[in-house]
Amino acid sequence: MAIGGFDVDASSNAFSGKITLSVVLTCIVAASGGLIFGYDIGISGGVTTMKPFLEKFFPAILRKSASAETNMYCVYDSQLLTLFTSSLHLAGLVSSLLASRVTTALGRRNTMVFGGCIFFAGAAVNGAAQNIAMLILGRILLGLGVGFTNQATPVYLSEIAPPKWRGAFNTGFQFFIGLGVVIANCINYGTARLTWGWGLSLGLATVPAIIMTIGAFLIPDTPSSLVARGHIEKARNALRKVRGPTIDVEPELQQVIRLSQVSEAMEQESFVTIFENQYRPHLVMAFVIPLSQQLTGINIVAFYAPNLFQSVGLGNDSALLSAVILGLVNLASILVSTAVVDRFGRRFLFVVGGVQMLLCMIAVAIVLALVSGVHGTEHISKGIAILVLVLLCFYAAGFGWSWGPLCWLIPSEIFPLKIRSTGQSIAIAVQFLTVFVLSQTFLTMLCHFKFGVFLFYAGWIAVITIFIILFLPETKGIPLDSMYTIWGKHWYWRRFSVKAQDNQVT
């Protein structure tokens, strides 16, 4: 396709890019932004099972758990306790919507630095919390920081990585999220016996914030972002740094400049642009992909894994150790995704992972139904509790090589440049809103639905797997500036993208 005398498709193939040590290191540093989100996911669930933490902030839960007549599914049913977890996601929803303008004005890298600083402040407040108000304030600051970094980092990775290996590099973000979860669970296990262990666990969130923020200072912003803000020489230097000193980056730089100029000449980005008819496929994916990721139930399992395992018969220490095991399985499966996502494609991993998660959720529901009774008052043996852990490990593995990394990858690569920040912000906002609603209601759902809550998520996994089969085109190996072609070839989306093929650029 020719745009302003410039053949976009030919240039896209010409600058496919190679893997260099510089681009690998740059993407690793950028992907480390996932540490702060992962650490928070892992730390919050474990802290809420620590007796000193509950004694200080939620004594009613301890009294409930001590009752011999308590339904095992209802021990942790407390709206105030879930607000401690879910308030972060409400704040993340707000900041992710603001992040579109921030990333456009300040760039991807500076937005990551900004988010890291806010997260650091929230971690410090939480570590020193003396009452519930301080806890919630700290969680809000953490959420604001995560909202900015989650919006900027996946886009950064997609723009800086070679197109042929974009999927592998982008999964690095999910890998660091998984690594953060594992580290947090290990810290929880080590601090659980300390009276002040909960404060140490929460306060140590400052460490990944420092790592990410300092790391972001050491990497260049993406060429697309620098050119869009008029920093041509910085964009040239950024390309030289990631492509290697022996590569002539001038042709690629000129391509980025021309595409930016065409995009700017066509229309300045506004929030309402993405609602135009030609961007209907992008808008649908911005809503459905992050919504579907959360409807698999993964963050509910991650947030409340210690509570869940403790409820089904494992002691406090065993519950925390089980959460570590679950996190390690998820982390290993992300590495599998990194190795095969650019070979087998996105759709294949989505479908295989979806079927695996579906079967595991149904199996968990059946096991709990058979052994705990309808009312959840029957005693569950350690053996059955371990069986539940094994099933959830298989579930976590399925998520780790499918919906985990691909939910960050797909939105970051399908949007044209002029709606990329807006599209990514919508995707992250939808994710935070869904996590907020589900995390705020999960323990109540567990109390009332009992084992049926796993069937609830199984039903959604079936629906979203069918959606992927029918409506998601394959994006493997397609350069960002040629991504418009996938919609014109799709059996359904081509009705919206006919005109877009004539005027759409990235």
Side-chain angles (χ1 to χ4, degrees), residues 73-95:
Y73 295 110
C74 299
V75 172
Y76 292 95
D77 182 18
S78 166
Q79 288 299 302
L80 193 58
L81 178 63
T82 52
L83 182 61
F84 163 71
T85 300
S86 60
S87 57
L88 176 145
H89 308 292
L90 192 59
L93 167 64
V94 175
S95 64

Side-chain angles (χ1 to χ4, degrees), residues 15-20 23 27 157-167 169 243:
F15 308 124
S16 59
K18 296 181 179 180
I19 296 179
T20 63
V23 77
C27 287
L157 291 169
S158 287
E159 290 184 344
I160 209 75
K164 184 179 180 180
W165 306 104
R166 187 174 59 246
F169 279 103
R243 299 293 180 244

